Amino acid sequence: MILIDWDRTARYAPGTVLVFGTGLIGGAAVRAIASRIGTARQRRLNWTWTSQAAPEAAALEAAALEALSTRPDARLTVVWAAGRSGFGSDDAAMEQELEAFRRVLATVRRI
């Protein structure tokens, strides 16, 4: 999981982006954001999909809140690119994917 944040630039308002999943699609999203913003800061944070991972969620929440607190006009954006399931996945794999997404949504709501 990567947290990207930046201050106001000539072209962009301040912002914070949480990118869940940094593989092929998430990595491309991170590179595209960084290339457009230019002065963005990136922080990699641990996130475990198979458990509630309370310490990891707390660290993510603290980092996001800290990034947002210094720029009250910043917008928070969440990119979900962490899917492990695919077209051939069975119901159990899809349920696991949905539960991981629910945990992400709960964390974002707390932020």
Side-chain angles (χ1 to χ4, degrees), residues 1-6 15-19 33 76-79:
M1 190 257 130
I2 293 181
L3 183 150
I4 305 169
D5 68 309
W6 62 91
T16 298
V17 179
L18 304 176
V19 181
I33 293 165
L76 175 65
T77 302
V78 177
V79 177

Side-chain angles (χ1 to χ4, degrees), residues 37-100:
I37 302 297
T39 58
R41 294 171 293 277
Q42 294 183 31
R43 289 179 267 177
R44 184 172 292 276
L45 300 164
N46 290 326
W47 186 269
T48 301
W49 304 107
T50 57
S51 69
Q52 285 292 358
E56 293 172 352
L60 166 60
E61 290 171 30
L65 288 170
E66 182 269 325
L68 292 166
S69 70
T70 60
R71 298 169 346 276
D73 57 340
R75 173 176 286 171
L76 175 65
T77 302
V78 177
V79 177
W80 171 261
R84 293 182 179 172
S85 299
F87 294 114
S89 296
D90 61 13
D91 289 346
M94 292 304 296
E95 184 56 39
Q96 193 174 39
E97 174 96 10
L98 183 57
E99 184 54 37

